[in-house]
Amino acid sequence: MEQAYRPDDRSPVTRTAPAVPPWLAHALRSQRGPVSWSAVLRGALGGGPLLLAAVLAGRPTLGVVTAIGAMFAGINDRPGSRRASVARIGTPALAGAAGLLTGTAAGDHAPAVLLTLLLTVLGLAAGGISALGPVGSSAGTQLLVGAAVGAGMPLPEPGPLRAVAFVAGAAWLLLLRLALPTSHTLAGDRRFALRFDGERAAVAGVYDAIAALLDAVGSDGATARRAALTAALDQAQDALAGPRLRRHPSSAAERRLHAQYAAALPLAEAATALAWAGEPVPPRASEAPRRLAAAVRDGAPTGPLPAPTRSAPGLRALDDALLHAAEAFDRADGRRLHGRRRTRTAALRTVLGARGREYGMRVALCFGASAAVAQALHHARWYGQHEHWYWLPATAVFLVKPDLGPLASRVLSRAAGTVLGALLFAGFAAVLPRPEGLVVLVTVCGALIPLATRHFAAQTAVVTVLVLALVMAGGEPQASLARIGETLLACAIVLVVGHLPTPGRRGDAIRARLTEANGAAREYLAHVLGESEDREARWALRREAYRTLAEARAAIALASAELPPLARHADGADEIAATLERLVDTTTACAVHLDDTGSLDPAHLRRLTHLGAELHLPVPTARPPAACHRPIDVSRAPPKGRGELRDHPRRTGTRRTGRLPPVTAPSPSAVRPGRGAGNCAITPDGPAPDGPAACHR
């Protein structure tokens, strides 16, 4: 924005600078965050040493396939727990091996037309699998790239041996991920620090996000902090829910982490309710979650936890949640897993549903068209002495995957990255000795992959140099100019084919995301208004509601950054997602108030009814609010000076000594369990003599 003045007066005239198109803004944006030096080390020890071993053994082409497997594993080597990395790296590696085996068999025996049809059908299947989430997306990508490489890269090894070599390369990097430390060794149990460092960092991040949300209550940044809390909870949930041999956590350290994660759920609920109310909380309210985060990171006792005032339902819920967290940290016995469980039927429904069909159709058309063009150029001998025609369809895979970014942004970044990478490799190939220099180049590029994942163009440049070095080490001549031409051709194909009309309605994937989020929000709302006493089920439903909303928001943001012919199908979706978020926020505030008073607040019900009307969602009629509530639990009542923050004497949270005394609960015959403190006394025989006559049971 800039201001100018008219010549006849001094009143400012505002001029608005032209806005950058969303697809271009996305292409210019890069991710931020700390550098994972452990991932850099794993990348350096991945493909380079494997290629060197194969060259020394006289099997360089086998080393090429093995190093490609390690390269893809390095791309999927993201922050998180070791257990989660098994699925994140292993599942796509198996899919890539299957694609490599299928592509090799088809390339050796199928004619050009049949091979193109087979690759198109494979693209349809891989696109549907991509709708399952990040792991499914990586699996679909490696399936198609493996098929293209197997069919279009002639190698002396048979298909089964290539598949084994590919899996061996990924398994080598996965072994490094499991064996090498990923953070500095902290004080305390070294085995605990090394084995569960990813889980510990994720759970501690949840408490930090709760503290940040409490700091932002009453400000404009509360909504963004609430979204960051959802992301932190998602990351912790995934970190704790990796594949396992046993149903329950097998070690005390792992059970402690599960207990600490579970203790964060009521804290997150209370913080969300406070953010919904919008009334600023005292600055020290966020100190206790930060102390809990430090205790998780250090594996140490929590120490005294500052207690907030109990002047509002949200603050009382926060205080109760801190008591629960202190007791959970002390007891450290959490056997229940908190992963996101989905049945095979639900996964199959997603693959065959609207999301899977739309993703699959786009991927199939672009992958099939690029394979057909590559086959035509190959049989017309446009390649000359270069018989490797895999680059064109493999490039199309990375361009068209719907979850990797807007189509136009990916095309621009891919073109720029490939041109830069190919030119860099041409310079390196002219001066580096062979094969020693190529092995060094592969090692350096493997170390740069974790840094390059911050931007698609940078990642493309590094991967281009790495793949060209591998192919040359396998015996192919230098082909930088040909790769630039094929990449630009693939960009043109995907840009045209990706915007063509397809069977079905465009935007079905967005509508499916919103339908899923709407269903989760309705289930959560029904549970709260049904006044169920199962709080763990409520927290699980709340997690699913916020998680599906976050996934819908991410899909909408990507769709909105497409070129106008595709972006218009996401019009209005963001407003629906925002209304759903307000509905879930209000439901959370309603649940906290219900716990505190034993009744539903009419203001909450009016708000829920209004939001339900916007979404055409019926809100059940609740019973009238009670005139009075359950008795105050003196064991939780604040001491004199309740308006001041103080260190609660029972929040010590030591693991071995100083165990917390049990929290005194009201008699089940006196009041219904699970409701918060109130303002009148109820006995099994009715209201106390000095209580209000209108008090309800």
Side-chain angles (χ1 to χ4, degrees):
M1 300 283 290
E2 61 178 351
Q3 288 185 340
Y5 291 92
R6 297 190 184 96
D8 55 338
D9 60 19
R10 302 294 295 174
S11 59
V13 178
T14 302
R15 296 175 181 172
T16 304
V20 178
W23 62 269
L24 181 58
H26 190 280
L28 299 176
R29 191 182 308 128
S30 62
Q31 298 178 3
R32 298 180 180 180
V35 176
S36 177
W37 296 111
S38 56
V40 172
L41 176 62
R42 292 193 297 272
L45 297 176
L50 295 176
L51 179 62
L52 177 61
V55 170
L56 294 178
R59 303 292 297 272
T61 54
L62 195 62
V64 168
V65 179
T66 308
I68 290 176
M71 177 195 74
F72 277 111
I75 294 175
N76 294 325
D77 184 13
R78 298 301 177 91
S81 66
R82 285 175 169 78
R83 180 174 284 114
S85 69
V86 174
R88 190 167 52 246
I89 295 176
T91 302
L94 294 176
L100 195 62
L101 191 62
T102 303
T104 301
D108 291 341
H109 302 96
V113 175
L114 183 59
L115 177 60
T116 301
L117 291 176
L118 177 62
L119 293 179
T120 302
V121 172
L122 205 61
L124 184 64
I129 294 172
S130 300
L132 293 175
V135 175
S137 174
S138 298
T141 299
Q142 292 197 33
L143 175 67
L144 295 184
V145 173
V149 170
M153 180 187 283
L155 294 173
E157 288 79 18
L161 185 57
R162 297 188 200 180
V164 170
F166 186 89
V167 173
W172 168 246
L173 195 130
L174 179 59
L175 180 63
L176 295 176
R177 176 69 178 87
L178 298 176
L180 297 180
T182 57
S183 62
H184 297 291
T185 302
L186 302 176
D189 188 347
R190 291 179 180 271
R191 292 176 300 173
F192 172 70
L194 176 62
R195 184 180 175 189
F196 298 111
D197 51 1
E199 291 93 331
R200 192 174 64 254
V203 175
V206 172
Y207 286 99
D208 282 333
I210 292 171
L213 177 57
L214 290 173
D215 286 337
V217 169
S219 68
D220 294 336
T223 301
R225 294 289 177 86
R226 205 273 305 146
L229 173 58
T230 296
L233 285 165
D234 292 345
Q235 183 178 356
Q237 195 174 44
D238 293 339
L240 294 172
R244 60 176 63 248
L245 298 177
R246 299 182 181 181
R247 182 179 180 183
H248 297 291
S250 57
S251 67
E254 191 175 6
R255 288 195 296 271
R256 181 182 303 118
L257 281 169
H258 280 272
Q260 291 166 346
Y261 169 79
L265 298 180
L267 277 172
E269 185 179 60
T272 302
L274 288 169
W276 180 89
E279 295 293 334
V281 298
R284 284 185 58 197
S286 60
E287 185 176 343
R290 287 197 172 90
R291 291 189 186 182
L292 293 173
V296 174
R297 288 193 180 93
D298 299 338
T302 61
L305 298 179
T309 58
R310 297 175 63 89
S311 57
L315 290 172
R316 286 192 288 272
L318 183 65
D319 191 28
D320 291 341
L322 288 174
L323 281 171
H324 173 74
E327 185 177 1
F329 273 59
D330 177 72
R331 186 173 61 247
D333 185 16
R335 295 181 177 273
R336 181 176 179 272
L337 296 181
H338 298 277
R340 191 185 192 189
R341 301 300 181 187
R342 287 190 171 180
T343 63
R344 295 179 182 177
T345 303
L348 185 61
R349 190 182 301 116
T350 299
V351 172
L352 300 179
R355 284 162 52 193
R357 290 196 303 269
E358 182 171 324
Y359 285 7
M361 191 62 66
R362 284 181 64 180
V363 175
L365 289 177
C366 293
F367 187 60
S370 61
V373 173
Q375 284 283 291
L377 294 176
H378 172 63
H379 288 284
R381 299 192 179 278
W382 179 84
Y383 283 80
Q385 59 180 334
H386 303 295
E387 299 179 356
H388 302 265
W389 55 266
Y390 65 90
W391 192 275
L392 193 61
T395 299
V397 173
F398 290 104
L399 290 174
V400 76
K401 286 304 295 302
D403 55 330
L404 298 181
L407 190 61
S409 172
R410 292 198 304 276
V411 166
L412 180 62
S413 298
R414 181 76 184 187
T418 300
V419 171
L420 177 60
L423 293 178
L424 286 174
F425 177 76
F428 288 134
V431 298
L432 290 177
R434 305 176 191 174
E436 298 85 357
L438 297 177
V439 172
V440 173
L441 194 57
V442 169
T443 303
V444 172
C445 289
L448 291 177
I449 283 179
L451 302 177
T453 52
R454 296 165 180 261
H455 195 280
F456 189 51
Q459 178 181 324
T460 299
V462 172
V463 170
T464 298
V465 175
L466 193 155
V467 173
L468 290 177
L470 286 175
V471 173
M472 182 174 284
E476 184 183 2
Q478 203 276 108
S480 294
L481 293 180
R483 297 311 179 221
I484 292 176
E486 291 172 90
T487 297
L488 296 179
L489 180 58
C491 290
I493 292 173
V494 171
L495 203 58
V496 173
V497 176
H499 289 83
L500 292 177
T502 56
R505 293 187 304 168
R506 285 283 194 178
D508 278 347
I510 298 298
R511 282 184 284 272
R513 291 280 191 186
L514 288 174
T515 300
E516 185 178 355
N518 180 61
R522 292 184 62 164
E523 192 172 358
Y524 176 47
L525 175 63
H527 186 276
V528 171
L529 295 184
E531 303 185 40
S532 171
E533 305 293 344
D534 190 350
R535 294 195 183 185
E536 287 195 1
R538 187 179 81 198
W539 295 331
L541 291 173
R542 176 180 173 274
R543 283 267 54 248
E544 186 66 17
Y546 276 121
R547 181 156 191 164
T548 53
L549 275 170
E551 292 171 349
R553 282 280 204 179
I556 293 168
L558 287 180
S560 300
E562 297 279 6
L563 292 178
L566 295 182
R568 65 184 178 84
H569 297 286
D571 291 345
D574 199 53
E575 289 77 6
I576 297 175
T579 304
L580 280 171
E581 283 184 346
R582 291 194 296 271
L583 177 69
V584 177
D585 288 343
T586 308
T587 306
T588 301
C590 184
V592 169
H593 188 276
L594 186 62
D595 285 346
D596 182 71
T597 65
S599 63
L600 296 170
D601 186 2
H604 291 160
L605 291 176
R606 285 194 297 270
R607 182 62 175 161
L608 288 174
T609 303
H610 174 71
L611 292 171
E614 290 187 34
L615 298 167
H616 306 288
L617 190 134
V619 177
T621 304
R623 64 180 176 84
C628 66
H629 316 294
R630 62 179 287 185
I632 296 176
D633 184 355
V634 294
S635 66
R636 297 189 182 186
K640 293 181 179 180
R642 61 181 293 173
E644 302 175 358
L645 290 167
R646 76 282 178 198
D647 287 342
H648 199 291
R650 297 176 55 218
R651 293 188 180 88
T652 55
T654 55
R655 291 206 305 263
R656 300 295 183 187
T657 61
R659 293 182 61 84
L660 293 173
V663 178
T664 304
S667 169
S669 60
V671 293
R672 295 190 303 171
R675 299 290 183 252
N679 54 20
C680 76
I682 302 176
T683 69
D685 299 324
D690 56 348
C695 194
H696 294 279
R697 288 291 299 272

